[in-house]
Amino acid sequence: MKKIIVSAASVLILLLLHQSLGFASISQFTGTWTNTDPDTRGITKLQITKDGSGIRLHAWGKCHPEDCDWGEVVAHPYAPNVSSDMMQRTRAVTAVFTEGFKETVIVVRSAGKNKLQANAFTRFTDGSNRSNYTSFYRFNRQFQVLPVTPMPIPMPLPQPVPQLKEDCISFNPATTTVKNVNGSWKIVDGNHWMFDFGNKRSEAYKALRVIKHYKLNQSCFVGRPDPSFQYMLTSGNAPKGPMPGEDCISFNPSTIELKEINGRWKIVDGNHWMFDFGNKEDEARTAYAVIKKYGFTRSCFVGRPDPSFQYLRK
């Protein structure tokens, strides 16, 4: 009986091969194929792979909620005649899937570029007296969508940063003192007059305490001889606080901005106007760079509202 069945299957295959007029390389069969009918109740997907010198076919059938995996079996290519190269002149591929209650023979043929058609012959083996039946399907090649690697965006070339030229005078805080010179109170270092406080003696001594506390030894200017901005350093670094009793306003060096407001260049932090440079844009930009360089976070005063001495610190 088994020989009769196999013979019958062979006859069906031969008939289908006879009807198939075209042939192609096996590469036109290999790949993953999806049924053109998304509502099919039969075979939903085929996968044909070349395994060395052989062929394998994997099939899936319609099930709920997910398709049933029929598994993978050995498949056989067929050529137009006995002397043809089967892999280069493939006319059809067949495979047999056996389950406990049925056997299905699948015959796959090319139906054009990236298209296959398949005939399935199902025979029941469980003695249920159900009728054997045949099904016909069409499949489209399922192309693999590879992730697109974005082209790298060329990074802008680093722009040369203008060199910050600082104008600083060094002094010795240990020898700095307060003197009354011709009726004007000054902070001096030897014969060098550093800061003038006029008749504000108490402010001169308070400023001297600031210099001593922070060990300030550099007095720096932007825009001499009439500087629009002054700051002090401790051996090339920003002084770090705090000092008891000092009068300071805090700001964020990361959020400060340089803005032209009503024709005047200002350094601002949000709505707070910190430093005003009038029409001196270059000096405003230099001062802005100085603040960024040293990371000052406090603007401090001696003698507000008309301070006689100002300094910046962290």
Side-chain angles (χ1 to χ4, degrees):
M1 178 62 72
K2 183 176 181 181
K3 291 183 179 179
I4 295 173
I5 293 169
V6 172
S7 177
S10 300
V11 171
L12 289 170
I13 292 168
L14 289 171
L15 287 172
L16 290 169
L17 290 173
H18 179 71
Q19 295 171 5
S20 179
L21 299 179
F23 51 83
S25 165
I26 193 63
S27 62
Q28 289 190 226
F29 288 80
T30 55
T32 301
W33 306 84
T34 53
N35 198 316
T36 58
D37 179 7
D39 299 319
T40 183
R41 298 181 64 182
I43 300 173
T44 57
K45 185 169 72 171
L46 296 175
Q47 190 174 66
I48 302 173
T49 56
K50 191 172 183 298
D51 182 15
S53 60
I55 304 296
R56 300 187 68 83
L57 192 149
H58 197 148
W60 287 262
K62 186 69 172 182
C63 286
H64 183 79
E66 295 181 352
D67 291 347
C68 295
D69 188 345
W70 289 13
E72 184 180 82
V73 299
V74 174
H76 302 283
Y78 291 82
N81 55 64
V82 71
S83 60
S84 297
D85 184 331
M86 285 195 302
M87 294 301 179
Q88 294 301 319
R89 293 166 62 85
T90 307
R91 178 163 284 181
V93 172
T94 70
V96 180
F97 290 86
T98 302
E99 296 184 56
F101 64 97
K102 67 178 180 177
E103 178 186 80
T104 301
V105 179
I106 299 177
V107 182
V108 181
R109 294 176 293 162
S110 174
K113 187 176 181 181
N114 299 317
K115 296 180 182 297
L116 291 183
Q117 62 185 46
N119 289 84
F121 302 90
T122 301
R123 181 180 65 87
F124 293 99
T125 59
D126 58 355
S128 62
N129 294 322
R130 285 179 287 181
S131 296
N132 303 333
Y133 66 94
T134 182
S135 306
F136 176 77
Y137 307 99
R138 292 185 182 275
F139 295 87
N140 289 331
R141 186 186 294 276
Q142 179 179 310
F143 292 99
Q144 182 180 7
V145 180
L146 297 175
V148 177
T149 303
M151 292 293 291
I153 300 174
M155 296 297 291
L157 294 175
Q159 297 298 312
V161 178
Q163 186 176 1
L164 178 61
K165 295 181 180 179
E166 297 183 72
D167 178 12
C168 297
I169 296 174
S170 298
F171 63 93
N172 186 349
T175 58
T176 300
T177 187
V178 173
K179 283 187 178 181
N180 188 301
V181 181
N182 299 325
S184 181
W185 292 97
K186 302 179 186 292
I187 290 180
V188 301
D189 180 20
N191 293 323
H192 175 56
W193 299 358
M194 295 172 55
F195 303 100
D196 191 333
F197 297 83
N199 63 353
K200 300 175 182 178
R201 178 179 181 276
S202 62
E203 292 183 13
Y205 276 100
K206 187 171 182 179
L208 180 64
R209 287 195 298 272
V210 170
I211 291 172
K212 301 282 188 180
H213 176 82
Y214 289 113
K215 298 182 174 58
L216 301 173
N217 59 9
Q218 290 175 278
S219 180
C220 304
F221 311 86
V222 174
R224 284 202 293 174
D226 180 22
S228 57
F229 184 78
Q230 291 182 246
Y231 59 102
M232 303 187 75
L233 301 174
T234 303
S235 300
N237 297 300
K240 295 182 179 180
M243 173 184 170
E246 66 183 343
D247 176 15
C248 297
I249 295 174
S250 63
F251 63 91
N252 187 344
S254 299
T255 59
I256 62 169
E257 296 178 277
L258 183 63
K259 289 186 176 181
E260 185 182 18
I261 301 174
N262 298 326
R264 301 183 67 87
W265 288 94
K266 300 178 187 287
I267 292 176
V268 303
D269 183 18
N271 294 323
H272 175 55
W273 298 1
M274 295 172 53
F275 303 101
D276 191 332
F277 299 86
N279 64 352
K280 300 175 182 179
E281 179 183 353
D282 290 344
E283 293 181 17
R285 293 189 182 281
T286 299
Y288 178 83
V290 166
I291 294 173
K292 290 287 189 178
K293 175 181 177 179
Y294 293 105
F296 295 122
T297 61
R298 302 286 191 280
S299 180
C300 304
F301 312 88
V302 173
R304 283 203 292 173
D306 182 21
S308 57
F309 183 78
Q310 291 182 245
Y311 61 101
L312 294 156
R313 70 161 176 86
K314 286 178 126 178

